[in-house]
């Protein structure tokens, strides 16, 4: 069944792309799982990776502009991807949820209400 909502399709595509690109960047050799589902009146897009994970303190920091968690490695990008995803979520009345622990990978969940 199609999941239909009142969203800006370009921004939604950008958010999804940023989340998947981020997972590929930080978990290049691990599995990445992408899921889309309906929960109540919210569309839920989750991207889970098997990367190095992040601490609770880092979860808050990585949605700030220009913050990157390189863990000593050189990574492409300037640290705006998750900031943009969080802004797109807020503009649609939704939110970005980050669930992670060091050594256990990360799950980024974009929750958007279906209505305007």
């Amino acid at each position: 069944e199609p999941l239909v909502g009142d969203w800006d399709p370009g921004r939604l595509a950008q958010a999804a792309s940023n989340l998947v690109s981020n997972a590929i960047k930080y978990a290049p050799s691990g599995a990445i799982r992408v899921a889309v589902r309906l929960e109540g009146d919210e569309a839920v897009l989750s991207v889970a990776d098997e990367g190095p994970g992040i601490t609770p303190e880092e979860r808050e920091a990585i949605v700030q502009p220009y913050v990157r968690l390189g863990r000593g490695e050189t990574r492409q990008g300037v640290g705006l991807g998750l900031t943009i995803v969080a802004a797109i979520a807020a503009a649609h009345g939704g939110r970005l949820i980050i669930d992670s622990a060091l050594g256990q990978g990360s799950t980024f969940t974009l929750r958007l209400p279906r209505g305007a």
Side-chain angles (χ1 to χ4, degrees):
E1 173 179 332
L3 201 156
V4 179
D6 187 20
W7 310 299
D8 178 322
R11 294 292 173 233
L12 187 57
Q14 183 179 19
S17 176
N18 285 1
L19 291 175
V20 172
S21 295
N22 195 63
I24 292 167
K25 185 186 307 181
Y26 287 95
S29 61
I32 297 170
R33 291 171 304 285
V34 178
V36 178
R37 63 191 178 277
L38 179 63
E39 287 185 9
D41 200 32
E42 287 186 318
V44 180
L45 166 67
S46 62
V47 178
D49 66 54
E50 295 179 347
I54 53 178
T55 68
E57 298 79 21
E58 291 170 332
R59 280 183 237 161
E60 303 230 354
I62 61 172
V63 296
Q64 300 304 314
Y66 309 111
V67 172
R68 296 176 59 231
L69 303 178
R71 304 248 188 268
E73 304 113 7
T74 303
R75 303 254 188 233
Q76 291 182 315
V78 295
L80 290 175
L82 294 176
T83 304
I84 292 168
V85 174
I88 290 169
H92 286 86
R95 62 200 180 283
L96 173 64
I97 300 165
I98 303 168
D99 183 32
S100 183
L102 281 177
Q104 298 180 14
S106 302
T107 301
F108 295 84
T109 303
L110 178 62
R111 300 186 71 95
L112 301 175
R114 291 184 358 159

